[in-house]
Amino acid sequence: MRKNIVAGNWKMNTTLQEGVKLAEEVNEALKNTSAKCDVVICTPFTHLASVASVIDANILGLGAENCADHVSGAYTGEVSAAMVASTGARYVILGHSERRQYYGETAETLREKVALALANGLTPIFCIGEVLAERENGTYNEVVKAQIVDGLFQLSAEDFGKIILAYEPVWAIGTGKTATADQAQDMHAHIRNVIADKYGKEIADNTSILYGGSCKASNAPELFSKPDVDGGLIGGASLKCADFMGIVNAF
Ligand code: PGA
């Protein structure tokens, strides 16, 4: 059966020293809890190797927030999937709406990134989600389906089985405005149907689909109680150990 997962997305926050401290705190807190879900933190590239050296990979997973769409070479400023993997990280967030919106990531670049992540043994946490106008004009189901089809349906069934999905309605990210648990459940069930139509029910049932967008300790229990919501991708509330653990303990 699919896993429940709570993953932190630190975004462009914390210095190296602050990040290492936060990772140590989360690692320590997890040692003293019996978490009922997998827990992952996704940190800036600069933090990965140091964080990897202070956490126990058996209780806390580590990921990057992005990787390059090329193998290696003359791409100044880029960080490859192989480089990420060489730090000890095992996950990578791909297609976050902030990357799509501010850095022009397209389905084409995302297909390259997904392929390179998988080739280097990284588990992609692939983000999808509609903007407010699409929620309001009622096209959100088609929009999210297109993001999945265009970004992921080139994969073999075996490779698709390695993907974690994160549904993050853009209007809920960092806004304090969460999708209701019913809105999240409806979308997650839709996403699972889209996957089942392509890869079959077994793979769809085994795919973890996380919710992201102003998820916090107070609303996580209701969101996570929904049958198709398998955890969360957490931005703001992953930056303080107690807040993040409050969400982990929602399971
Ligand atoms: P948020 O961000 O929890 O701060 O809304 C979630 C995300 O963008 O992954």
Side-chain angles (χ1 to χ4, degrees):
M1 249 336 243
R2 59 185 180 261
K3 286 179 178 166
N4 290 325
I5 302 163
V6 171
N9 173 14
W10 290 5
K11 309 193 180 185
M12 198 174 74
N13 292 296
T14 73
T15 62
L16 174 61
Q17 291 73 21
E18 290 162 351
V20 167
K21 186 163 168 276
L22 176 57
E24 283 173 334
E25 283 169 11
V26 173
N27 189 72
E28 195 55 33
L30 286 169
K31 265 201 233 161
N32 302 315
T33 334
S34 48
K36 293 184 190 67
C37 58
D38 284 4
V39 184
V40 177
I41 49 175
C42 297
T43 81
F45 292 130
T46 45
H47 301 19
L48 291 172
S50 303
V51 168
S53 72
V54 299
I55 63 174
D56 177 353
N58 296 313
I59 56 171
L60 178 56
L62 176 63
E65 302 171 12
N66 182 27
C67 72
D69 57 342
H70 296 282
V71 174
S72 65
Y75 302 101
T76 302
E78 289 293 288
V79 176
S80 72
M83 292 172 186
V84 169
S86 73
T87 66
R90 291 290 169 261
Y91 298 83
V92 60
I93 296 172
L94 292 176
H96 191 281
S97 61
E98 288 151 15
R99 303 279 335 157
R100 293 178 191 258
Q101 226 177 317
Y102 309 144
Y103 301 96
E105 288 197 355
T106 62
E108 194 186 350
T109 52
L110 286 171
R111 285 195 294 273
E112 295 300 328
K113 292 183 183 205
V114 167
L116 288 165
L118 290 172
N120 286 282
L122 298 172
T123 298
I125 302 174
F126 190 86
C127 302
I128 50 190
E130 81 284 0
V131 299
L132 184 60
E134 294 158 344
R135 171 58 55 173
E136 287 176 346
N137 70 19
T139 57
Y140 48 93
N141 279 341
E142 292 100 275
V143 167
V144 168
K145 178 178 179 178
Q147 289 171 337
I148 299 170
V149 170
D150 297 346
L152 296 173
F153 277 8
Q154 74 286 359
L155 294 175
S156 67
E158 192 191 341
D159 278 345
F160 189 87
K162 298 172 186 161
I163 304 287
I164 297 168
L165 283 171
Y167 168 58
E168 300 202 305
V170 179
W171 47 272
I173 294 177
T175 57
K177 204 168 153 189
T178 324
T180 65
D182 286 334
Q183 284 174 324
Q185 168 57 27
D186 286 350
M187 178 57 85
H188 285 222
H190 166 65
I191 292 167
R192 213 176 293 287
N193 284 333
V194 167
I195 299 168
D197 285 345
K198 166 82 176 169
Y199 292 107
K201 192 171 178 320
E202 193 182 336
I203 288 185
D205 281 344
N206 284 332
T207 303
S208 296
I209 308 174
L210 316 184
Y211 168 80
S214 300
C215 184
K216 40 191 183 283
S218 55
N219 56 30
E222 197 191 346
L223 285 160
F224 296 175
S225 73
K226 295 294 176 183
D228 288 294
V229 178
D230 308 313
L233 182 58
I234 318 299
S238 70
L239 294 170
K240 284 210 180 94
C241 180
D243 294 349
F244 188 56
M245 288 306 295
I247 298 171
V248 169
N249 290 326
F251 275 114

